[in-house]
Amino acid sequence: MIITKQKDPNSILETISKYKSFFLIGCSECASLCGTGNEDALKDMAGFLKSNGKEVTGMMVPKTGCQTLGTKIELKKDKDACEAADAIIVMSCGAGTQSATEIFKDKPVYPANDSLFLGNMTRFQMFDERCSLCGECIIGKTAGICPITNCPKGLLVGPCGGMSDGKCEVSPDTPCAWVRIYERQKALGNLEEMKEVIEPKDWSKGQKPGTLATRKDKKELTE
Ligand code: SF4
Ligand code: SF4
């Protein structure tokens, strides 16, 4: 999931200062789990805006904010409230915000959240980064633990000389990713696999902006 954190409300206020009325859009997926785009978060934002002299014409939490077409269809029932707003504030990740940019051709769109990383919720509303979206996953060779993400240096061969007592030199409270990989391979009886040299990564596989079409056309479907 994409982990988001709400921006400082005062910085949002500063960014939107020239507008008076707003329609708020959340997201019922990642941003809801992060508490940054659920109904309560939207209500809090509406209260904050109103207490600062702004108007809120309406709000909506779409099923999946980054599903542009679905969100556009869901927003139809709020057509009047959207039209009445000077601008749109989106409380999801940057992808959801850019859905709104595509949907609202003639209205400014502002993000209320910062998108931080792709991670897992390890406990209720506690998140850890797990994947750097490198475009070619190698964790089949590293005991299911990503060194690119979990090692601050992104080393494909480790541990580095700074590792001490199994901890990382960059953040001494954190276990070294390569020690974790070693220990897991050992426990799985797969230590031999660590002798295989991992080739340098082809970073062009993660080139931005990424694009992918997984939809099969009709012809393929009937084959
Ligand atoms: S190797 Fe790449 S795709 Fe796989 S978990 Fe790590 S960053 Fe993500
Ligand atoms: S101590 Fe381990 S996790 Fe930290 S930078 Fe070195 S190899 Fe990476």
Side-chain angles (χ1 to χ4, degrees), residues 118 130-139 142 145-149 201 203:
L118 175 58
R130 288 285 187 262
C131 174
S132 304
L133 301 170
C134 71
E136 188 175 38
C137 192
I138 57 155
I139 67 174
T142 57
I145 295 166
C146 175
I148 294 165
T149 308
K201 280 199 75 67
W203 291 106

PDB file of all heavy atoms in Angstrom, residues 118 130-139 142 145-149 201 203, ligand 1:
ATOM      1  N   LEU A 118       6.066   2.859  -0.415  1.00  0.00           N
ATOM      2  CA  LEU A 118       5.266   1.646  -0.596  1.00  0.00           C
ATOM      3  C   LEU A 118       5.614   0.717   0.554  1.00  0.00           C
ATOM      4  O   LEU A 118       6.777   0.333   0.714  1.00  0.00           O
ATOM      5  CB  LEU A 118       5.622   0.998  -1.938  1.00  0.00           C
ATOM      6  CG  LEU A 118       4.985  -0.351  -2.255  1.00  0.00           C
ATOM      7  CD1 LEU A 118       3.474  -0.281  -2.225  1.00  0.00           C
ATOM      8  CD2 LEU A 118       5.455  -0.836  -3.624  1.00  0.00           C
ATOM      9  N   ARG A 130       8.682  -1.392   2.354  1.00  0.00           N
ATOM     10  CA  ARG A 130       9.046  -2.762   1.983  1.00  0.00           C
ATOM     11  C   ARG A 130       9.588  -2.880   0.563  1.00  0.00           C
ATOM     12  O   ARG A 130      10.302  -3.821   0.252  1.00  0.00           O
ATOM     13  CB  ARG A 130       7.822  -3.684   2.113  1.00  0.00           C
ATOM     14  CG  ARG A 130       7.408  -3.983   3.529  1.00  0.00           C
ATOM     15  CD  ARG A 130       8.345  -4.986   4.188  1.00  0.00           C
ATOM     16  NE  ARG A 130       7.855  -5.399   5.483  1.00  0.00           N
ATOM     17  CZ  ARG A 130       8.254  -4.903   6.631  1.00  0.00           C
ATOM     18  NH1 ARG A 130       9.195  -3.979   6.653  1.00  0.00           N
ATOM     19  NH2 ARG A 130       7.745  -5.324   7.770  1.00  0.00           N
ATOM     20  N   CYS A 131       9.196  -1.971  -0.336  1.00  0.00           N
ATOM     21  CA  CYS A 131       9.567  -2.127  -1.745  1.00  0.00           C
ATOM     22  C   CYS A 131       9.855  -0.757  -2.351  1.00  0.00           C
ATOM     23  O   CYS A 131       9.169   0.212  -2.048  1.00  0.00           O
ATOM     24  CB  CYS A 131       8.411  -2.811  -2.476  1.00  0.00           C
ATOM     25  SG  CYS A 131       8.653  -2.917  -4.258  1.00  0.00           S
ATOM     26  N   SER A 132      10.891  -0.711  -3.199  1.00  0.00           N
ATOM     27  CA  SER A 132      11.265   0.557  -3.843  1.00  0.00           C
ATOM     28  C   SER A 132      10.819   0.623  -5.298  1.00  0.00           C
ATOM     29  O   SER A 132      11.252   1.504  -6.030  1.00  0.00           O
ATOM     30  CB  SER A 132      12.784   0.757  -3.768  1.00  0.00           C
ATOM     31  OG  SER A 132      13.221   0.704  -2.437  1.00  0.00           O
ATOM     32  N   LEU A 133       9.988  -0.335  -5.721  1.00  0.00           N
ATOM     33  CA  LEU A 133       9.442  -0.343  -7.087  1.00  0.00           C
ATOM     34  C   LEU A 133      10.562  -0.258  -8.127  1.00  0.00           C
ATOM     35  O   LEU A 133      10.532   0.587  -9.007  1.00  0.00           O
ATOM     36  CB  LEU A 133       8.463   0.831  -7.266  1.00  0.00           C
ATOM     37  CG  LEU A 133       7.267   0.877  -6.319  1.00  0.00           C
ATOM     38  CD1 LEU A 133       6.533   2.193  -6.456  1.00  0.00           C
ATOM     39  CD2 LEU A 133       6.324  -0.276  -6.582  1.00  0.00           C
ATOM     40  N   CYS A 134      11.542  -1.151  -7.994  1.00  0.00           N
ATOM     41  CA  CYS A 134      12.725  -1.049  -8.861  1.00  0.00           C
ATOM     42  C   CYS A 134      12.494  -1.585 -10.270  1.00  0.00           C
ATOM     43  O   CYS A 134      13.320  -1.384 -11.152  1.00  0.00           O
ATOM     44  CB  CYS A 134      13.909  -1.752  -8.216  1.00  0.00           C
ATOM     45  SG  CYS A 134      13.734  -3.544  -8.209  1.00  0.00           S
ATOM     46  N   GLY A 135      11.390  -2.316 -10.470  1.00  0.00           N
ATOM     47  CA  GLY A 135      11.079  -2.786 -11.828  1.00  0.00           C
ATOM     48  C   GLY A 135      11.555  -4.189 -12.139  1.00  0.00           C
ATOM     49  O   GLY A 135      11.224  -4.742 -13.192  1.00  0.00           O
ATOM     50  N   GLU A 136      12.350  -4.770 -11.248  1.00  0.00           N
ATOM     51  CA  GLU A 136      12.817  -6.154 -11.470  1.00  0.00           C
ATOM     52  C   GLU A 136      13.126  -6.768 -10.108  1.00  0.00           C
ATOM     53  O   GLU A 136      14.203  -6.547  -9.544  1.00  0.00           O
ATOM     54  CB  GLU A 136      14.081  -6.158 -12.349  1.00  0.00           C
ATOM     55  CG  GLU A 136      14.486  -7.545 -12.765  1.00  0.00           C
ATOM     56  CD  GLU A 136      15.673  -7.502 -13.727  1.00  0.00           C
ATOM     57  OE1 GLU A 136      16.577  -6.653 -13.549  1.00  0.00           O
ATOM     58  OE2 GLU A 136      15.682  -8.310 -14.641  1.00  0.00           O
ATOM     59  N   CYS A 137      12.152  -7.493  -9.591  1.00  0.00           N
ATOM     60  CA  CYS A 137      12.248  -7.950  -8.193  1.00  0.00           C
ATOM     61  C   CYS A 137      13.273  -9.064  -8.034  1.00  0.00           C
ATOM     62  O   CYS A 137      13.248 -10.053  -8.760  1.00  0.00           O
ATOM     63  CB  CYS A 137      10.876  -8.423  -7.716  1.00  0.00           C
ATOM     64  SG  CYS A 137      10.846  -8.660  -5.934  1.00  0.00           S
ATOM     65  N   ILE A 138      14.169  -8.896  -7.058  1.00  0.00           N
ATOM     66  CA  ILE A 138      15.233  -9.886  -6.844  1.00  0.00           C
ATOM     67  C   ILE A 138      15.068 -10.658  -5.535  1.00  0.00           C
ATOM     68  O   ILE A 138      15.939 -11.435  -5.172  1.00  0.00           O
ATOM     69  CB  ILE A 138      16.626  -9.200  -6.828  1.00  0.00           C
ATOM     70  CG1 ILE A 138      16.665  -8.118  -5.744  1.00  0.00           C
ATOM     71  CG2 ILE A 138      16.989  -8.648  -8.194  1.00  0.00           C
ATOM     72  CD1 ILE A 138      18.053  -7.827  -5.244  1.00  0.00           C
ATOM     73  N   ILE A 139      13.955 -10.445  -4.848  1.00  0.00           N
ATOM     74  CA  ILE A 139      13.890 -11.031  -3.505  1.00  0.00           C
ATOM     75  C   ILE A 139      13.762 -12.553  -3.512  1.00  0.00           C
ATOM     76  O   ILE A 139      13.901 -13.184  -2.465  1.00  0.00           O
ATOM     77  CB  ILE A 139      12.801 -10.371  -2.618  1.00  0.00           C
ATOM     78  CG1 ILE A 139      11.393 -10.653  -3.133  1.00  0.00           C
ATOM     79  CG2 ILE A 139      13.031  -8.871  -2.501  1.00  0.00           C
ATOM     80  CD1 ILE A 139      10.308 -10.122  -2.188  1.00  0.00           C
ATOM     81  N   THR A 142      17.071 -13.358  -2.333  1.00  0.00           N
ATOM     82  CA  THR A 142      17.525 -12.771  -1.071  1.00  0.00           C
ATOM     83  C   THR A 142      16.569 -13.120   0.083  1.00  0.00           C
ATOM     84  O   THR A 142      16.251 -12.276   0.928  1.00  0.00           O
ATOM     85  CB  THR A 142      17.664 -11.233  -1.194  1.00  0.00           C
ATOM     86  OG1 THR A 142      16.393 -10.700  -1.613  1.00  0.00           O
ATOM     87  CG2 THR A 142      18.724 -10.829  -2.200  1.00  0.00           C
ATOM     88  N   ILE A 145      13.609 -10.961   1.350  1.00  0.00           N
ATOM     89  CA  ILE A 145      13.824  -9.670   2.033  1.00  0.00           C
ATOM     90  C   ILE A 145      14.497  -8.745   1.031  1.00  0.00           C
ATOM     91  O   ILE A 145      15.505  -9.113   0.416  1.00  0.00           O
ATOM     92  CB  ILE A 145      14.729  -9.862   3.272  1.00  0.00           C
ATOM     93  CG1 ILE A 145      14.012 -10.739   4.313  1.00  0.00           C
ATOM     94  CG2 ILE A 145      15.134  -8.511   3.877  1.00  0.00           C
ATOM     95  CD1 ILE A 145      14.920 -11.272   5.410  1.00  0.00           C
ATOM     96  N   CYS A 146      13.963  -7.546   0.845  1.00  0.00           N
ATOM     97  CA  CYS A 146      14.505  -6.659  -0.196  1.00  0.00           C
ATOM     98  C   CYS A 146      15.698  -5.847   0.323  1.00  0.00           C
ATOM     99  O   CYS A 146      15.531  -4.972   1.170  1.00  0.00           O
ATOM    100  CB  CYS A 146      13.421  -5.697  -0.682  1.00  0.00           C
ATOM    101  SG  CYS A 146      14.102  -4.503  -1.864  1.00  0.00           S
ATOM    102  N   PRO A 147      16.905  -6.102  -0.195  1.00  0.00           N
ATOM    103  CA  PRO A 147      18.061  -5.318   0.255  1.00  0.00           C
ATOM    104  C   PRO A 147      18.046  -3.898  -0.305  1.00  0.00           C
ATOM    105  O   PRO A 147      18.603  -2.990   0.302  1.00  0.00           O
ATOM    106  CB  PRO A 147      19.254  -6.113  -0.280  1.00  0.00           C
ATOM    107  CG  PRO A 147      18.736  -6.872  -1.447  1.00  0.00           C
ATOM    108  CD  PRO A 147      17.280  -7.128  -1.192  1.00  0.00           C
ATOM    109  N   ILE A 148      17.417  -3.724  -1.446  1.00  0.00           N
ATOM    110  CA  ILE A 148      17.385  -2.372  -2.039  1.00  0.00           C
ATOM    111  C   ILE A 148      16.621  -1.421  -1.123  1.00  0.00           C
ATOM    112  O   ILE A 148      16.978  -0.261  -0.952  1.00  0.00           O
ATOM    113  CB  ILE A 148      16.732  -2.433  -3.439  1.00  0.00           C
ATOM    114  CG1 ILE A 148      17.635  -3.231  -4.374  1.00  0.00           C
ATOM    115  CG2 ILE A 148      16.472  -1.041  -4.002  1.00  0.00           C
ATOM    116  CD1 ILE A 148      16.965  -3.659  -5.637  1.00  0.00           C
ATOM    117  N   THR A 149      15.573  -1.957  -0.505  1.00  0.00           N
ATOM    118  CA  THR A 149      14.729  -1.128   0.350  1.00  0.00           C
ATOM    119  C   THR A 149      15.176  -1.158   1.813  1.00  0.00           C
ATOM    120  O   THR A 149      15.192  -0.127   2.488  1.00  0.00           O
ATOM    121  CB  THR A 149      13.264  -1.621   0.256  1.00  0.00           C
ATOM    122  OG1 THR A 149      12.910  -1.695  -1.118  1.00  0.00           O
ATOM    123  CG2 THR A 149      12.319  -0.686   0.985  1.00  0.00           C
ATOM    124  N   LYS A 201      21.993  -4.227 -10.969  1.00  0.00           N
ATOM    125  CA  LYS A 201      20.608  -4.002 -11.408  1.00  0.00           C
ATOM    126  C   LYS A 201      20.537  -3.158 -12.665  1.00  0.00           C
ATOM    127  O   LYS A 201      21.347  -2.258 -12.873  1.00  0.00           O
ATOM    128  CB  LYS A 201      19.819  -3.293 -10.298  1.00  0.00           C
ATOM    129  CG  LYS A 201      19.371  -4.258  -9.229  1.00  0.00           C
ATOM    130  CD  LYS A 201      18.248  -3.698  -8.408  1.00  0.00           C
ATOM    131  CE  LYS A 201      16.927  -3.703  -9.122  1.00  0.00           C
ATOM    132  NZ  LYS A 201      16.396  -5.045  -9.375  1.00  0.00           N
ATOM    133  N   TRP A 203      18.722  -0.485 -13.842  1.00  0.00           N
ATOM    134  CA  TRP A 203      17.816   0.528 -13.293  1.00  0.00           C
ATOM    135  C   TRP A 203      16.867   1.098 -14.346  1.00  0.00           C
ATOM    136  O   TRP A 203      15.880   1.744 -14.002  1.00  0.00           O
ATOM    137  CB  TRP A 203      18.620   1.668 -12.636  1.00  0.00           C
ATOM    138  CG  TRP A 203      19.314   1.204 -11.399  1.00  0.00           C
ATOM    139  CD1 TRP A 203      20.637   0.957 -11.245  1.00  0.00           C
ATOM    140  CD2 TRP A 203      18.710   0.866 -10.128  1.00  0.00           C
ATOM    141  NE1 TRP A 203      20.912   0.495  -9.974  1.00  0.00           N
ATOM    142  CE2 TRP A 203      19.750   0.441  -9.271  1.00  0.00           C
ATOM    143  CE3 TRP A 203      17.408   0.879  -9.643  1.00  0.00           C
ATOM    144  CZ2 TRP A 203      19.512   0.039  -7.955  1.00  0.00           C
ATOM    145  CZ3 TRP A 203      17.177   0.481  -8.329  1.00  0.00           C
ATOM    146  CH2 TRP A 203      18.219   0.069  -7.512  1.00  0.00           C
TER     147      TRP A 203
HETATM  148  S1  SF4 B   1      13.782  -6.023  -5.438  1.00  0.00           S
HETATM  149 FE1  SF4 B   1      12.771  -4.259  -6.353  1.00  0.00          FE
HETATM  150  S2  SF4 B   1      10.640  -4.916  -6.737  1.00  0.00           S
HETATM  151 FE2  SF4 B   1      11.562  -6.417  -5.348  1.00  0.00          FE
HETATM  152  S3  SF4 B   1      10.960  -5.723  -3.292  1.00  0.00           S
HETATM  153 FE3  SF4 B   1      12.987  -4.820  -3.771  1.00  0.00          FE
HETATM  154  S4  SF4 B   1      12.592  -2.827  -4.667  1.00  0.00           S
HETATM  155 FE4  SF4 B   1      10.672  -3.972  -4.717  1.00  0.00          FE
END
